Amino acid sequence: MSDRAEQERINQVYRQWHGGAALAKYAWHRPDIIRQTAARSRVLAELLPLTVGRDLSAVRALDIGCGGGGFLRQLIDWGATPGHLAGTELQQDRLDHARARTAPGVRWHLGPLDAFADASMDLVSAHTVFSSILDDDLRRGLAAEMWRVLRPGGWTMIFDFRYGSPRNAHVRKVTDVELLRFWPAASRHYRTLVLVPPLGRTLAALPWLIPEALATMLPPLRSHFIYMARKPETDG
């Protein structure tokens, strides 16, 4: 499959999904979604001080496939400077949505990363982006572009699925082998999080301690991961 064909497939999937009935499962007020959001925030609050530092005001960050801009807004809430942040998307309506809800100053870009200079970012992130890409070459190419844009000593961050979905042929898990091949680094962090969504939705009405305990005590039930890798200072 060509890169153009794969990108059009991804666009078509998101056009069908965006604004449809399937979004109801991800409504912000649902108990399972609240727990997922809290779990991701806890892990990010642990990892960001260990990587880019506690003071985010000078951090230059690029979020690929930024969607509604939620991660960039979180960085701003935690002290990042809007003018140091950028988000990319393949769909204009998602960029418009993000721009309307985010502090002025953030750079929004429609399309690939060729508009960004080499070694221009301290943090380059992608949230559930790679699992949406089924083509190996396109995955590899995007990973290489992320590495190119990242400065030596900077950090890439991937939040994505540990497992595939038998009910969704448009999602493919991101493997440990791919993480190590795409972003080779001596300094890296890997955390698993989020109770597998079908179980999380089933347990949503129960006291919060039950799903929290399951996710804590049974790591195989965690459906997502966050991987951070530091780009070497030199090629040697």
Side-chain angles (χ1 to χ4, degrees):
M1 180 182 294
S2 69
D3 288 358
R4 184 183 297 273
E6 174 68 349
Q7 289 173 357
E8 180 52 37
R9 183 198 63 79
I10 295 169
N11 271 328
Q12 183 63 28
V13 169
Y14 275 95
R15 280 194 293 266
Q16 293 173 352
W17 179 80
H18 188 57
L23 281 179
K25 294 190 298 185
Y26 304 98
W28 66 269
H29 56 82
R30 290 176 57 99
D32 55 314
I33 299 302
I34 292 172
R35 293 187 185 113
Q36 289 181 26
T37 302
R40 180 156 50 169
S41 293
R42 285 197 300 268
V43 174
L44 289 174
E46 174 193 353
L47 292 181
L48 290 178
L50 296 175
T51 54
V52 296
R54 294 182 179 181
D55 182 1
L56 302 182
S57 61
V59 172
R60 299 166 298 168
L62 169 64
D63 189 31
I64 297 165
C66 63
F71 177 60
L72 295 175
R73 286 193 295 276
Q74 185 165 45
L75 291 180
I76 293 170
D77 286 344
W78 288 354
T81 303
H84 293 168
L85 308 180
T88 73
E89 255 298 339
L90 294 178
Q91 297 182 57
Q92 185 64 54
D93 62 330
R94 291 166 72 83
L95 277 185
D96 293 341
H97 178 92
R99 181 185 289 110
R101 289 160 177 78
T102 308
V106 176
R107 176 184 176 186
W108 306 104
H109 176 72
L110 183 69
L113 303 188
D114 51 10
F116 295 89
D118 295 359
S120 58
M121 295 291 169
D122 304 302
L123 175 68
V124 181
S125 61
H127 297 250
T128 58
V129 169
F130 281 83
S131 56
S132 298
I133 302 172
L134 305 184
D135 183 77
D136 289 332
D137 289 339
L138 193 57
R139 280 190 176 195
R140 190 179 303 109
L142 178 56
E145 278 291 273
M146 292 175 66
W147 215 228
R148 176 188 66 79
V149 171
L150 192 64
R151 68 165 176 83
W155 291 84
T156 187
M157 182 176 72
I158 309 301
F159 170 77
D160 225 312
F161 290 101
R162 300 174 67 198
Y163 306 122
S165 172
R167 299 180 180 178
N168 188 350
H170 296 292
V171 172
R172 181 181 137 203
K173 69 179 180 180
V174 181
T175 68
D176 295 348
V177 171
E178 286 178 303
L179 295 175
L180 295 174
R181 181 187 302 142
F182 291 163
W183 302 283
S187 298
R188 53 185 180 265
H189 302 274
Y190 183 87
R191 302 287 189 276
T192 58
L193 64 156
V194 178
L195 197 63
V196 288
L199 183 58
R201 287 190 287 269
T202 299
L203 302 179
L206 299 180
W208 68 269
L209 184 59
I210 295 174
E212 286 288 327
L214 285 174
T216 299
M217 295 187 297
L218 298 173
L221 292 182
R222 301 174 196 159
S223 58
H224 291 67
F225 68 85
I226 290 180
Y227 175 75
M228 296 193 68
R230 186 174 185 263
K231 186 176 181 179
E233 294 283 359
T234 65
D235 293 332

